[in-house]
Amino acid sequence: FAAARTLMPMFHETLREIVENTDGSLAGILMDSQGARIDGYARPDAGFDIDEVGVEYGVLLGSIRKATQQLAAGTTQEVAIGTDKMITLIRTLGESYYLALALRPDGNYGKGRFLMRSAAPKLMAELG
């Protein structure tokens, strides 16, 4: 991701830290609930467009949120989607934003979850 695509240095730095400090991670993205990219960070060898992943899984997240509300199961906080090529972790940041992290199937899923959960309050404070 070129520097020109980075809107807020703090967001970019936080995403970089999560991706670089999680073994097997490929990319991270911060998006709003309408599917607009706020910022992202990808390793050069990611092999896919994290923006596309964020948009597509964002639609799915909207459906999951509706289902949890209808079931009175509480607020959706985290979703994990595992495929044979990638694990995608999604952490909601309030009602309006979400953070997603893509990892190789052998990536350190637990560390990624921990770093995303740890970064959430700081990101939410910056998002307002």
Side-chain angles (χ1 to χ4, degrees):
F1 289 85
R5 295 190 69 188
T6 299
L7 302 177
M8 299 288 295
M10 190 284 300
F11 295 143
H12 192 75
E13 183 59 23
T14 300
L15 291 167
R16 187 193 67 73
E17 287 175 5
I18 292 169
V19 172
E20 294 294 331
N21 291 312
T22 302
D23 291 338
S25 67
L26 301 167
I29 193 164
L30 177 63
M31 297 189 81
D32 72 14
S33 59
Q34 302 302 307
R37 176 188 193 272
I38 295 169
D39 209 340
Y41 177 84
R43 292 182 188 262
D45 62 343
F48 60 90
D49 182 356
I50 189 63
D51 290 358
E52 190 174 325
V53 171
V55 169
E56 295 299 331
Y57 284 157
V59 171
L60 181 61
L61 179 61
S63 296
I64 292 169
R65 281 181 162 167
K66 286 179 190 173
T68 58
Q69 288 172 351
Q70 289 177 345
L71 296 170
T75 305
T76 303
Q77 296 178 356
E78 184 179 271
V79 175
I81 301 163
T83 68
D84 60 338
K85 294 183 181 181
M86 173 172 54
I87 297 171
T88 303
L89 304 176
I90 302 170
R91 172 155 283 288
T92 61
L93 303 173
E95 290 295 316
S96 301
Y97 302 97
Y98 66 93
L99 175 63
L101 178 67
L103 302 100
R104 292 190 313 262
D106 63 344
N108 191 338
Y109 173 87
K111 178 86 178 264
R113 287 184 66 219
F114 171 77
L115 293 175
M116 290 172 72
R117 187 174 63 246
S118 298
K122 179 170 68 168
L123 291 169
M124 288 176 65
E126 288 294 318
L127 289 165

